[in-house]
Amino acid sequence: MNKILIMGPQGAGKGTQAEILAEKLKIPAISSGSLLREEIATGSDLGCEVTKFTEAGTLVPDELMVAIIKKRLAQPDAVNGWILDGFPRILSQVELFLNFVQPTNVILLKLNDENSVERLSGRLQCKECHQGFQEKFVPSKTHPFCDVCGGELVRRSDDTPEIIRQRLQIYHKETEPVAKKFEDMGILSRIDGSGTIEEVAELVAGVFVTN
Ligand code: AP5
Ligand code: MG
């Protein structure tokens, strides 16, 4: 059973590649950030609490994050495996996570900060179907609307230069040691995330062909 983590800096393509791999392996792609944004969209008390952190580009407290992930992985669609993007991203979360699940593979998408900022500055998402676009690299033919469903394209509120810098800083300080931990466990594959979406997808798929 595939229990796959996708890690990498902001804009490395975690969400993009998780969706492509999920389609190939016929398992769900689960994004910690998307789970939080869905909770915020409900307007619940939990969502209001979470917004304080996501809007500032800082990490949501571990207990809260672990509870949300645990609940999602227990859903029926995840019984035959899953791909999880964005969690765990700090060593304390790794410890809590390994108490209830053992991942089989960890993919680390590598990208330098300059490219991260460039990609995120032009990221757009459909308000209705959540399809992702990028102004320069993955433009919508019907901009500012979605090619798939005609919905309005919007920017993520944490994709401003200042918040992107804050998120990258936390990545380098808190999340890089997480990659080292999985490397020591012998389950980490480092993948160059700087190519086109198709090129990166091929490199990612290669990890599973050889396994
Ligand atoms: P999250 O939503 O996970 O954001 P992130 O880690 O900052 O990552 P991104 O979603 O920005 O990047 P991505 O790698 O998914 O890139 P994408 O595929 O979209 O987290 C948001 C917030 O939630 C955090 O800041 C935190 O507050 C909270 N949070 C989440 N997890 C948490 C946790 N575990 N603990 C505590 N708090 C947590 O691609 C980016 C763009 O580039 C897109 O426009 C795409 O179309 C384009 N693109 C992708 N690949 C390519 C390519 N190869 N070439 C050109 N363009 C490309
Ligand atoms: Mg993402």
mmCIF file of all heavy atoms in Angstrom, residues 14-16 31 34 37 85 123 156, ligand 2:
data_model
loop_
_atom_site.group_PDB
_atom_site.id
_atom_site.type_symbol
_atom_site.label_atom_id
_atom_site.label_comp_id
_atom_site.label_asym_id
_atom_site.label_seq_id
_atom_site.Cartn_x
_atom_site.Cartn_y
_atom_site.Cartn_z
ATOM 1 N N LYS A 14 4.119 20.772 -5.008
ATOM 2 C CA LYS A 14 3.604 19.664 -4.186
ATOM 3 C C LYS A 14 2.169 19.317 -4.586
ATOM 4 O O LYS A 14 1.863 18.167 -4.876
ATOM 5 C CB LYS A 14 3.642 20.030 -2.686
ATOM 6 C CG LYS A 14 5.018 20.331 -2.151
ATOM 7 C CD LYS A 14 4.997 20.606 -0.662
ATOM 8 C CE LYS A 14 4.274 21.878 -0.269
ATOM 9 N NZ LYS A 14 4.952 23.118 -0.708
ATOM 10 N N GLY A 15 1.320 20.338 -4.582
ATOM 11 C CA GLY A 15 -0.088 20.113 -4.916
ATOM 12 C C GLY A 15 -0.237 19.628 -6.352
ATOM 13 O O GLY A 15 -0.976 18.675 -6.627
ATOM 14 N N THR A 16 0.489 20.268 -7.259
ATOM 15 C CA THR A 16 0.415 19.919 -8.688
ATOM 16 C C THR A 16 0.827 18.463 -8.905
ATOM 17 O O THR A 16 0.123 17.689 -9.563
ATOM 18 C CB THR A 16 1.359 20.855 -9.491
ATOM 19 O OG1 THR A 16 0.997 22.208 -9.213
ATOM 20 C CG2 THR A 16 1.278 20.579 -10.977
ATOM 21 N N SER A 31 -4.046 17.531 0.711
ATOM 22 C CA SER A 31 -3.143 18.652 0.973
ATOM 23 C C SER A 31 -3.489 19.270 2.325
ATOM 24 O O SER A 31 -4.650 19.619 2.571
ATOM 25 C CB SER A 31 -3.306 19.698 -0.133
ATOM 26 O OG SER A 31 -3.013 20.992 0.334
ATOM 27 N N SER A 34 -4.907 22.695 1.835
ATOM 28 C CA SER A 34 -6.282 22.704 1.311
ATOM 29 C C SER A 34 -7.285 22.327 2.393
ATOM 30 O O SER A 34 -8.379 22.896 2.461
ATOM 31 C CB SER A 34 -6.430 21.731 0.137
ATOM 32 O OG SER A 34 -5.590 22.118 -0.899
ATOM 33 N N ARG A 37 -7.816 25.408 4.334
ATOM 34 C CA ARG A 37 -8.607 26.411 3.603
ATOM 35 C C ARG A 37 -10.076 25.990 3.515
ATOM 36 O O ARG A 37 -10.973 26.821 3.555
ATOM 37 C CB ARG A 37 -8.008 26.653 2.202
ATOM 38 C CG ARG A 37 -6.705 27.482 2.267
ATOM 39 C CD ARG A 37 -6.166 27.812 0.893
ATOM 40 N NE ARG A 37 -5.593 26.663 0.223
ATOM 41 C CZ ARG A 37 -4.353 26.210 0.413
ATOM 42 N NH1 ARG A 37 -3.545 26.826 1.253
ATOM 43 N NH2 ARG A 37 -3.907 25.157 -0.234
ATOM 44 N N ASP A 85 0.346 15.922 1.002
ATOM 45 C CA ASP A 85 1.240 17.048 0.683
ATOM 46 C C ASP A 85 1.187 18.093 1.795
ATOM 47 O O ASP A 85 0.112 18.497 2.206
ATOM 48 C CB ASP A 85 0.869 17.575 -0.725
ATOM 49 C CG ASP A 85 0.541 19.051 -0.832
ATOM 50 O OD1 ASP A 85 1.142 19.882 -0.138
ATOM 51 O OD2 ASP A 85 -0.318 19.384 -1.667
ATOM 52 N N ARG A 123 0.466 32.502 -9.275
ATOM 53 C CA ARG A 123 -0.477 31.382 -9.089
ATOM 54 C C ARG A 123 -1.917 31.889 -9.038
ATOM 55 O O ARG A 123 -2.216 32.888 -8.383
ATOM 56 C CB ARG A 123 -0.175 30.638 -7.781
ATOM 57 C CG ARG A 123 -1.246 29.599 -7.465
ATOM 58 C CD ARG A 123 -0.851 28.586 -6.461
ATOM 59 N NE ARG A 123 -0.458 29.164 -5.188
ATOM 60 C CZ ARG A 123 0.056 28.442 -4.192
ATOM 61 N NH1 ARG A 123 0.245 27.147 -4.345
ATOM 62 N NH2 ARG A 123 0.392 29.017 -3.061
ATOM 63 N N ARG A 156 -4.354 33.225 -3.970
ATOM 64 C CA ARG A 156 -4.413 32.825 -2.566
ATOM 65 C C ARG A 156 -3.975 34.010 -1.716
ATOM 66 O O ARG A 156 -3.043 34.718 -2.077
ATOM 67 C CB ARG A 156 -3.472 31.627 -2.338
ATOM 68 C CG ARG A 156 -4.236 30.366 -2.006
ATOM 69 C CD ARG A 156 -3.367 29.169 -2.030
ATOM 70 N NE ARG A 156 -2.350 29.159 -0.980
ATOM 71 C CZ ARG A 156 -1.532 28.138 -0.765
ATOM 72 N NH1 ARG A 156 -1.616 27.059 -1.524
ATOM 73 N NH2 ARG A 156 -0.634 28.182 0.186
HETATM 74 MG MG MG B 2 0.000 23.371 -2.295
#
